[in-house]
Every structure is written in structure tokens, then in C-alpha cells.
Amino acid sequence: MTTFYILQKTIEANKGGVNAASFAHANELQQLHLGMVHLIHTQPTEMSQQTLMTYLHEQKGLREEVDVVQPSRDLSDGEQINWLREILANSLLQDDVVLINEDKSLFAAVAMYKHAMPMLSVVQVLHNSHVDCAGNVKKSYQNMFVRQDDIDRFIVLTKQQQSDLVSEGWVRPEKLVYLPNVACAVPVKSQKSDPQPVVNVFTRYNDRQKGLSDFLDKIMPAVVRRVPNVQVNFYGAMYKEEESSVAAPFQQLVREHNLENNVSINDYVDGVTKAKLADESLFTVLPSNYEGMPLAVLEMAKHSVPTIAYDVKYGPAELVQDGVNGYLVDHGDTDTFVNRMVELLQQPKLARYFCDQARKLVLADYQEKSVLSLWQELLGDLTMEMATTKFDENKAEYVEVTNAMTNTVVRKFSDFETAYVKNSHGTRVLVVEYTTQDEGQRYMHVFNEHESVDMMIAFDPFEKQRFLQAN
């Protein structure tokens, strides 16, 4: 059996620490039925454990079989790190364990867990572009890439980012796995006979990434002049400081450009409301400066809503086929962006054609079945690597064992398949043999030349942890 831990940074503690990507991966892994799946909050929420479980399962769509774990409010930051380390170490005594980290800010911690427990499989998910608007690799990503040997795999959400990371020399190809987001199919919406010029946009109010200032400054005023009755509605967390999502600056821009009758800035909505708003939308827009794989485009496409997007790294070019299921616009070309919006607003029949094509893309390439097969392939590779991991004496840590501890050692090694014994006065490493007694207990037999001297028992760091815990 394999135990999975999905590690996410706790956001909006008063709302259950919701993280859509973590939810999706937890739900996908649970469907493989390979073992227990735990969703781990790095910090406590403001909910009790039972309330949190009920809320995430009943209100947010987390599958009932997925466990949710959070640390006690009484633990310090350092104690929280040790709390999770103990959970992982105890699980490793029973099962294979895969730790999937969803937040790059936690990379150093998970790399430390891997160093302490080499039998732990660690996977880091890259949710965003590794390059900034100027084309430079972000420092936070550089820090992960130079330590790529400290973990087992990086998951990327697009094939283009996978290719770029290899061609740019940042990550070796064997360390990368392509595993996109998914969008479960929904019933086809009925086409309205009189579609309204409504554009609903689900976003984060983070201008550096989402480019909303330029959209409100340079695009919307020009669109309104040509289509006065257009209505563009934004939805996202109005104030989520930990994700730099703050709506107030955009509300100010709406007022400055006298767009109150055409643009609304709204708070985050639940899944039911989001589906209703998607069905009412003629199309959506993505004026971003960079992305990882824009889940909003994928979710709108499953509701047959096409997208007009800037062609930025990464994702729009893999989700939007220009002139087929939406439009791709060169980044910063505001005039073309305006023209494309006006074209669909004034030609709803063309928008309807794009609607059908948008849904076809989701059904063809981004269903759970295809992604689950990618998960199976990744997990199979990790299992094979763990099975062939060899003891390396040069990387061993040593625990001194005195003669007085010999009987304890004999009893406690019944769970180990192999141990390594090193004479403290020599350099030879000997494989210890086991025998099975009638009562079924396995004993470690030390060669005669070692029985009368102090010994050094050599382990890799994980075996050392098990030994110390056993004693």
C-alpha cells in the first residue's frame, strides 16, 4: 500500500484553507485506490477538525475518502515542522509514502524531509511560470532547480514549460513529469436565442500576474465606446493578502474611468454560483502577464465558454486555438484585444461556434481518465526507484552501539531486511545475516570477530531514524 500526503500552504484560515489545486490532486489520487490520501494543512485553520472535515467534504467537493489533517493551534512554527516529520516517519514504518508539495514556499521543508528520510518519495508541483515578465527565471524557482536532486520529481502543467525547462538547462528531463489540470464534463448548456453582451471573469486580484490594470486602463474604455451595453464582471477573493489578491485598486480604476455601468468587481463565489455565471457568459478574457496553466480557462471551456487571452507562458496556447475556440493575442497588443472582444460581442453567432469548440477541447484532452493514467505512470516509476535504492556507505550516518546494547539490537532488528555492521577498529562493512526461530522472530547474528568489541551500526538516514525510534 501507498500513503499519500498532499501538502498545501494554509490560505484563508477562516474559510477552511481552500486550495483548488490541492483538492484536485487529492481527489484524483483517491480514485486510484492505491492507499489512504491525506490533505495536509501546514498551519491550523480557525475551524475544529470535525467542522473542517465536514466543510471541505460537503461544501467544497473534497471526496469523502480523503482525510484532512491540520496541526494543533498550540504548536510553534518549529513544532509544526516536527509534527509533520513525525507523521511521515511513522507512515514510512508501515507503507510506501509519497509527499506531494503544492506550494513552492514549502520546498526547503520538504527537501529536508527527503534528506532525513530517503525512502520518502517527494514530488514538487509547479503551478506557475518560472520566468517573470522580463523573461528572467524567478529566484524562488532557481532555488528549487539547483536543488533538484533533493527531491524525486517536478510536476509541470503544460508541455511547453516541460520543454523549456529542459532546453534552457534548468531541470534534467528525467526529473520532469507533465500532468495537466482536469475539467470534469458538465451537461451542455442550452444556447440562448438572445445572448447578452456579458463577460464573466474568474480571477485573482493580483495585478503583477493577471494584468488587470492594463485591461481596465487600455482595453475596457475602448470596448465600451464601441459596445456601450457590454458588461464585464470580475469574481475573486476581494482581500487575500497571502496571495497578493487585493481588489481595492481595481475598484478605484473602475471609478476613474467611469466604468461603473460596465464593470463590476465582485467577491469569490461558490461552485454552484460560478457554474450559473459561466452559463450566462458569452466569452471570458485572460489578460495575464504570465500563467502556469490557467484553470479558469479550462473551467469556462467545460461550460462551453470560449476565451480571448494573451499568448503568454504558460497555458493559453495549449488551451486556446486561435480562431477555433477563442482568440490568442500577442502580449501587450491592446488594440487587437479590443478588436477581438468587439468582434465576439457584435457577432454572437461566431461566439456560439467557439463555444462548441471550447467544450470539445476539454472532452478530448483534459478529462480525469487521461490524467489518472499519468498519475499511475509517475507512481509506478517512483515505486521502481525506491525498490532499487542501494545502500551507499559514503552517505551513511553511524550510530554507536555498545556491547551492553547487543541484546536490544538483536531484538529490535526483526523489522529490518538488511543491516550493515562496521568494526570500530576497521573499515570493513559486513552484511548482517538473519535466521528465523521457531517462534517466528528474526535475530541478527554478528560475526564472531565483532562480538567482543564496540560496534558501529551503519544506516542511511531513514534507517537510522527507525533504529533510534525502536530503541
Side-chain angles (χ1 to χ4, degrees):
M1 295 291 288
T2 302
T3 301
F4 301 95
Y5 291 95
I6 315 294
L7 184 62
Q8 64 167 26
K9 188 176 181 179
T10 305
I11 59 175
E12 291 197 301
N14 64 324
K15 297 182 180 179
V18 175
N19 184 308
S22 305
F23 275 37
H25 288 158
N27 284 342
E28 290 160 15
L29 287 169
Q30 193 282 322
Q31 292 180 73
L32 295 177
H33 301 292
L34 296 176
M36 189 63 194
V37 180
H38 305 270
L39 184 63
I40 302 286
H41 285 305
T42 55
Q43 295 176 320
T45 67
E46 296 177 10
M47 299 180 178
S48 69
Q49 181 66 20
Q50 186 57 50
T51 301
L52 177 65
M53 294 276 288
T54 301
Y55 173 75
L56 296 182
H57 288 143
E58 295 183 0
Q59 302 296 322
K60 294 299 179 180
L62 188 66
R63 295 176 72 93
E64 286 288 340
E65 300 86 351
V66 177
D67 184 33
V68 183
V69 184
Q70 61 178 340
S72 167
R73 296 187 183 90
D74 299 330
L75 299 181
S76 65
D77 290 345
E79 290 171 333
Q80 288 171 5
I81 292 175
N82 291 331
W83 162 80
L84 180 53
R85 178 172 175 166
E86 183 176 349
I87 289 176
L88 297 171
N90 288 336
S91 292
L92 278 165
L93 294 174
Q94 307 295 327
D95 299 313
D96 294 332
V97 177
V98 178
L99 175 63
I100 299 166
N101 181 33
E102 302 281 353
D103 194 295
K104 64 181 184 296
S105 68
L106 305 173
F107 179 84
V110 299
M112 178 188 68
Y113 295 143
K114 174 71 175 179
H115 177 75
M117 297 169 278
M119 295 302 291
L120 174 70
S121 294
V122 174
V123 179
Q124 174 70 49
V125 184
L126 304 183
H127 284 290
N128 223 320
S129 172
H130 60 281
V131 295
D132 59 23
C133 298
N136 300 314
V137 177
K138 301 170 186 174
K139 186 67 175 178
S140 58
Y141 284 83
Q142 289 187 40
N143 292 338
M144 291 191 292
F145 298 154
V146 298
R147 298 184 62 185
Q148 61 188 279
D149 288 329
D150 291 348
I151 65 168
D152 296 285
R153 291 291 191 282
F154 289 105
I155 285 178
V156 292
L157 306 180
T158 66
K159 294 178 180 178
Q160 185 182 5
Q161 187 172 23
Q162 181 183 32
S163 176
D164 285 354
L165 285 171
V166 173
S167 64
E168 294 165 5
W170 285 105
V171 183
R172 299 194 304 277
E174 66 271 16
K175 285 285 185 177
L176 288 167
V177 175
Y178 165 65
L179 205 154
N181 292 323
V182 301
C184 299
V186 297
V188 180
K189 70 176 182 180
S190 59
Q191 297 288 358
K192 296 181 179 179
S193 58
D194 58 339
Q196 299 299 305
V198 175
V199 179
N200 291 325
V201 185
F202 302 106
T203 188
R204 280 192 297 137
Y205 298 115
N206 179 334
D207 197 40
R208 182 176 61 178
Q209 178 181 354
K210 298 300 182 179
L212 299 182
S213 289
D214 273 357
F215 182 82
L216 295 173
D217 274 334
K218 302 174 182 178
I219 294 176
M220 273 309 298
V223 172
V224 170
R225 284 193 293 270
R226 295 168 63 181
V227 187
N229 63 337
V230 63
Q231 182 66 43
V232 177
N233 308 305
F234 291 92
Y235 298 89
M238 298 287 280
Y239 187 79
K240 189 186 289 186
E241 187 176 13
E242 60 268 37
E243 290 192 354
S244 302
S245 181
V246 181
F250 309 111
Q251 293 172 315
Q252 179 63 29
L253 282 173
V254 169
R255 291 190 292 269
E256 289 177 4
H257 291 287
N258 298 315
L259 295 171
E260 292 94 331
N261 293 329
N262 302 98
V263 177
S264 68
I265 306 294
N266 305 283
D267 203 356
Y268 173 86
V269 294
D270 60 33
V272 174
T273 304
K274 181 182 287 188
K276 181 176 181 294
L277 291 169
D279 287 342
E280 295 172 354
S281 188
L282 187 63
F283 60 89
T284 191
V285 295
L286 187 78
S288 296
N289 296 314
Y290 59 87
E291 287 286 345
M293 180 189 184
L295 189 58
V297 175
L298 198 57
E299 290 181 337
M300 290 296 265
K302 77 180 183 181
H303 288 279
S304 304
V305 180
T307 297
I308 300 174
Y310 276 139
D311 187 7
V312 296
K313 295 183 177 180
Y314 289 95
E318 294 187 24
L319 297 174
V320 180
Q321 296 173 296
D322 187 44
V324 177
N325 65 346
Y327 285 123
L328 286 175
V329 179
D330 290 340
H331 183 240
D333 186 352
T334 57
D335 289 340
T336 300
F337 209 107
V338 169
N339 289 336
R340 294 307 194 193
M341 286 186 66
V342 171
E343 183 178 353
L344 293 188
L345 288 166
Q346 293 180 340
Q347 301 181 51
K349 288 184 178 180
L350 178 59
R352 287 181 183 177
Y353 169 77
F354 284 172
C355 288
D356 294 336
Q357 299 304 312
R359 180 178 170 82
K360 287 180 181 179
L361 175 76
V362 170
L363 294 177
D365 298 330
Y366 297 98
Q367 290 299 286
E368 280 188 336
K369 182 178 179 180
S370 59
V371 173
L372 292 181
S373 67
L374 295 174
W375 273 117
Q376 289 175 319
E377 183 177 348
L378 167 60
L379 298 174
D381 289 344
L382 293 176
T383 299
M384 184 67 68
E385 290 174 12
M386 289 298 101
T388 57
T389 299
K390 301 296 183 182
F391 175 79
D392 184 350
E393 186 190 0
N394 294 323
K395 296 181 180 179
E397 298 184 23
Y398 295 92
V399 182
E400 186 170 2
V401 182
T402 65
N403 287 335
M405 293 179 64
T406 301
N407 289 336
T408 301
V409 172
V410 168
R411 290 195 303 272
K412 295 298 184 181
F413 270 84
S414 60
D415 290 337
F416 300 160
E417 294 181 0
T418 308
Y420 295 82
V421 178
K422 185 173 183 179
N423 190 326
S424 60
H425 304 297
T427 59
R428 221 158 31 115
V429 175
L430 303 174
V431 177
V432 176
E433 297 180 348
Y434 293 99
T435 61
T436 303
Q437 303 297 319
D438 292 339
E439 65 270 34
Q441 183 177 13
R442 291 188 298 177
Y443 288 85
M444 182 184 79
H445 287 250
V446 182
F447 290 170
N448 290 335
E449 63 223 66
H450 294 281
E451 288 182 341
S452 59
V453 298
D454 290 351
M455 295 175 293
M456 301 290 284
I457 309 294
F459 308 101
D460 60 53
F462 171 58
E463 293 296 289
K464 173 186 175 181
Q465 188 273 338
R466 290 178 69 182
F467 173 75
L468 292 177
Q469 187 178 56
N471 286 280

